[in-house]
Amino acid sequence: MPGLYFFMRLKIEISPDQAGARLDQAVAAHSQSRISRSRAAHLISQGLIMVNHGCKRPGYKVKLKDLVEGDIPSPDQQDRKALLPESIPLNILYEDDYILMIDKPAGLVVHPGAGNDSGTLVNGLIGHHPGFREQGWDRDRPGIVHRLDKDTSGLMVIAKTLKSLEFLQKEFKQRRVEKHYLALVRGENIPDAGVIERPIGRHPFHRKRMTVLDENGRYAKTRFSVIKRFRSGCLMDIRLYTGRTHQIRVHFYDQGMPLFGDCIYQPRSSMKKVPGVPRQMLHSWTLSFRHPYSGVRLYFDAPMPEDFKTALLHLSDAP
């Protein structure tokens, strides 16, 4: 049936002859998985394959009796048809032969996934740059260096060559990229500035959610400073030092100051929609990195979108 995605449940207890191998190698070598090492590494990095209920890196050396579990897409899903180019308007801020800078609107999914085979940013990128259809690119994520959630707006850098992709991914991994976000957060007695350093991992029960995990989470660091206060919260400048999935949303929820409009990371008492707030109020504001060819440091900024301005005015005027 079109549009449905099927997963195979993987469960491995590491045997003596497997102990000491890389996690991605152990998964790929197991007869139950039937996937390549690179595919295994991708699924591990996405948190879909875990060790002892915690997230690990693909290069983690497995230990005797480690329990490796996860969800692997079925062959039908892996062999689905290639993505088609689409004429999706892209707000391009800068472009050369090596990179593309865009200001992503809220509501646009970055790459294909369950229920999103079309209408994604990747479909628009393939339509804009035919080179993304050439061999060597990840079929589902050509040019994608980093991601933004569907309802997060703002800056994204896209690599137009495989060498640019490798360079930029390394820059992000080595934390040489400076990323700032704007966020509208809810709460009282919020400090003027601070640093949150709490490890993040896949939620042990809700597979689509992330959470703070003191034992098995991955290191995550977020710095914030208040720009403007209003009655029920404030506008913040947030610097992201690491790039864990949902990092800002999880960190601020954990600290008792969730983002306005976030339908997932929110106390039950605040789940109902806030008037004038159309989505999670998070915007990728500035991005600074070295150009993959020239090495010159570039700086980009994306102005606050209109729905963000409207929400800020609404919250500022609220009694």
Side-chain angles (χ1 to χ4, degrees):
M1 294 177 64
L4 289 181
Y5 290 80
F6 300 93
F7 292 83
M8 178 183 70
R9 187 68 182 167
L10 174 73
K11 188 171 183 178
I12 306 170
E13 183 174 313
I14 298 300
S15 61
D17 61 318
Q18 294 172 309
R22 286 173 55 102
L23 177 57
D24 53 2
Q25 290 176 325
V27 171
H30 199 273
S31 59
Q32 189 181 347
S33 68
R34 298 176 304 195
I35 58 174
S36 67
R37 177 177 162 184
S38 62
R39 182 63 174 161
H42 174 72
L43 294 173
I44 293 164
S45 297
Q46 294 301 304
L48 294 176
I49 296 177
M50 308 178 80
V51 179
N52 302 325
H53 308 293
C55 293
K56 297 292 184 183
R57 296 179 183 274
Y60 166 77
K61 299 298 178 64
V62 294
K63 300 178 179 62
L64 180 64
K65 295 190 176 181
D66 270 351
L67 183 61
V68 179
E69 296 179 286
D71 297 314
I72 296 179
S74 69
D76 288 342
Q77 179 174 341
Q78 295 184 51
D79 296 335
R80 65 187 184 276
K81 62 184 180 181
L83 293 173
L84 297 176
E86 297 180 34
S87 296
I88 296 174
L90 302 176
N91 186 5
I92 298 173
L93 304 180
Y94 174 83
E95 182 175 13
D96 60 25
D97 292 337
Y98 308 95
I99 63 170
L100 182 67
M101 280 299 306
I102 68 163
D103 183 355
K104 185 188 88 69
L108 180 63
V109 175
V110 170
H111 58 72
N116 290 301
D117 275 339
S118 62
T120 71
L121 173 61
V122 165
N123 293 101
L125 290 173
I126 295 172
H128 175 76
H129 179 54
F132 286 133
R133 305 185 74 181
E134 296 173 358
Q135 288 188 344
W137 290 107
D138 184 312
R139 178 183 56 187
D140 292 341
R141 307 180 186 192
I144 301 300
V145 179
H146 61 123
R147 294 178 297 165
L148 294 179
D149 296 334
K150 175 184 175 181
D151 289 326
T152 298
S153 57
L155 293 172
M156 286 186 65
V157 58
I158 308 297
K160 291 181 67 177
T161 70
L162 290 168
K163 286 187 176 180
S164 294
L165 179 66
E166 182 181 4
F167 175 86
L168 289 169
Q169 286 179 333
K170 188 176 293 185
E171 292 290 284
F172 272 87
K173 185 175 181 180
Q174 297 298 325
R175 300 170 191 163
R176 298 190 185 110
V177 177
E178 186 167 336
K179 301 167 284 184
H180 285 259
Y181 288 73
L182 290 174
L184 289 173
V185 304
R186 179 200 301 269
E188 299 177 357
N189 301 317
I190 294 173
D192 290 336
V195 177
I196 306 170
E197 289 185 274
R198 300 295 308 277
I200 291 175
R202 185 73 56 178
H203 197 289
F205 306 113
H206 305 287
R207 301 293 298 160
K208 293 184 178 181
R209 294 179 58 177
M210 308 300 287
T211 189
V212 167
L213 291 174
D214 289 322
E215 291 187 5
N216 296 313
R218 299 176 68 186
Y219 174 76
K221 179 180 178 181
T222 308
R223 182 184 295 274
F224 66 88
S225 59
V226 173
I227 298 174
K228 179 181 179 180
R229 294 184 180 274
F230 45 91
R231 191 177 187 87
S232 55
C234 60
L235 172 66
M236 281 190 176
D237 170 17
I238 298 172
R239 181 176 179 185
L240 207 57
Y241 288 86
T242 51
R244 308 304 176 208
T245 300
H246 299 174
Q247 178 174 322
I248 293 173
R249 299 165 64 190
V250 171
H251 267 174
F252 280 82
Y253 171 66
D254 179 70
Q255 296 295 304
M257 41 186 184
L259 271 61
F260 276 99
D262 194 329
C263 296
I264 297 176
Y265 302 103
Q266 198 77 228
R268 287 187 176 274
S269 59
S270 305
M271 281 294 190
K272 59 184 179 181
K273 200 167 182 179
V274 179
V277 178
R279 45 123 173 164
Q280 65 196 31
M281 303 315 297
L282 187 61
H283 176 66
S284 178
W285 183 25
T286 70
L287 197 59
S288 177
F289 56 90
R290 293 191 298 159
H291 190 278
Y293 178 74
S294 68
V296 173
R297 192 156 193 90
L298 304 176
Y299 177 91
F300 297 93
D301 65 90
M304 186 185 293
E306 290 304 316
D307 65 345
F308 208 104
K309 291 179 183 177
T310 301
L312 178 58
L313 286 172
H314 183 88
L315 293 170
S316 298
D317 293 339

